[in-house]
Amino acid sequence: MTSVAIVTGASSGIGAATARRLAAEGFHVLAAARRTDRLAALVAEIGAAGGSAAAVECDVTSAESVAGLAAAAAAAPGPVTLLVNNAGGARGLDPVESGSVGDWQWMYDVNVLGTLRVTQALLPALEASGAGTIVIVSSTAGHVVYEGGGGYSAAKHAQTAVAGTLRLELCGRPVRVIEIDPGMVKTDEFALVRFGGDADRADAVYAGVAEPLVAEDVADCVAWCATRPQHVNVDRLVVRPLAQAAQHKVHRAG
Ligand SMILES: NC(=O)c1ccc[n+]([C@@H]2O[C@H](COP(=O)([O-])OP(=O)(O)OC[C@H]3O[C@@H](n4cnc5c(N)ncnc54)[C@H](OP(=O)(O)O)[C@@H]3O)[C@@H](O)[C@H]2O)c1
């Protein structure tokens, strides 16, 4: 039977690329996000390429919506073996001194509590498969701090803590927990969302960086980790572009 993979935040960027890649690897993919028009286009594209996928409208900040995702997973045509907690993002680049409480709440709710809600809802199905995998897409911001990154770093540090705690708690049960921490990834929307739609500020993030990571690079990491033999648990995979030696050390031309 075809294994089922669930990808949250599949309507753009890393999530969409991961859904495409996992379908190409032979999974039936449940692509979850709020924007159903984008999900429908993605599912059609996957189908045209010979893959199998379905769209599920899901807001990870809503327990009711996440319950709907779990119901869709229960009705899917195969065992649920893979959950990719990817939905998330950043809002703002303000110092702690003047950061918006609303932005911080949004980042915690989507990145951390979203991962918690979806993981709690899908864990029974993952465990019942006998060979489950939970991937958590956190960030290098889950390990270091930088000026203006307080809210996002705090949320990603928390997401990283969830991954580590869950791995300890599930030890002895048939579900592995993998954390993937990308550095700079040039996706269409991440920086735009961060800067409230300000394209100039968003473009400046990647200015002069010849080859930032792209969504497909991270999808490749997810697929590689998820397709290792089940006894192989890649605890944490940190991936950055060659030009980014550290958060504060980015080579920019010009
Ligand atoms: N880009 C980077 O440089 C980078 C680096 C390290 C880590 N990451 C992490 O990688 C993940 C994906 O980032 P990306 O660059 O692909 O960003 P993106 O293109 O902005 O994608 C974010 C995705 O999250 C979904 N999302 C947001 N709020 C949601 C909600 N309440 N419920 C369900 N889905 C929601 C969005 O879908 P809808 O709006 O349709 O719901 C979208 O599909 C995030 O967790 C991000 O923090 C990104």
Side-chain angles (χ1 to χ4, degrees):
M1 259 218 270
T2 309
S3 293
V4 176
I6 295 151
V7 181
T8 67
S11 61
S12 65
I14 293 167
T18 299
R20 281 189 205 98
R21 176 61 187 272
L22 293 176
E25 296 281 346
F27 286 92
H28 172 74
V29 176
L30 293 189
R34 295 168 302 176
R35 288 172 294 174
T36 50
D37 52 338
R38 284 170 162 262
L39 294 178
L42 175 70
V43 165
E45 185 193 328
I46 288 172
S52 173
V56 183
E57 181 175 4
C58 179
D59 179 344
V60 300
T61 68
S62 155
E64 191 186 353
S65 187
V66 170
L69 175 60
V80 178
T81 60
L82 176 58
L83 166 63
V84 183
N85 281 297
N86 165 76
R91 273 197 191 165
L93 195 65
D94 307 304
V96 172
E97 188 177 14
S98 57
S100 151
V101 171
D103 284 348
W104 282 54
Q105 279 175 330
W106 180 85
M107 289 186 277
Y108 198 83
D109 202 7
V110 177
N111 293 283
V112 189
L113 301 183
T115 294
L116 177 67
R117 289 184 193 95
V118 175
T119 299
Q120 287 181 339
L122 272 303
L123 188 53
L126 289 158
E127 186 161 18
S129 78
T133 300
I134 297 170
V135 173
I136 294 180
V137 181
S138 183
S139 170
T140 51
H143 304 283
V144 295
V145 295
Y146 55 96
E147 295 97 324
Y152 184 58
S153 286
K156 288 303 190 183
H157 273 70
Q159 213 179 355
T160 287
V162 171
T165 307
L166 191 59
R167 192 178 307 110
L168 293 173
E169 292 173 352
L170 294 182
C171 184
R173 291 161 64 182
V175 183
R176 56 186 177 175
V177 179
I178 296 166
E179 177 190 340
I180 296 187
D181 295 328
M184 182 188 285
V185 190
K186 189 167 193 236
T187 54
D188 291 340
E189 298 189 359
F190 178 83
L192 265 184
V193 170
R194 179 166 218 165
F195 296 120
D198 184 332
D200 289 339
R201 283 188 82 189
D203 288 346
V205 172
Y206 311 104
V209 180
E211 288 182 295
L213 296 180
V214 293
E216 288 72 19
D217 294 320
V218 183
D220 192 33
C221 295
V222 174
W224 182 79
C225 291
T227 56
R228 293 313 86 209
Q230 187 66 18
H231 69 284
V232 178
N233 196 133
V234 180
D235 283 6
R236 174 181 290 159
L237 192 159
V238 176
V239 55
R240 301 178 197 270
L242 179 60
Q244 186 185 33
Q247 220 77 355
H248 63 280
K249 178 85 177 170
V250 180
H251 178 73
R252 296 180 194 271

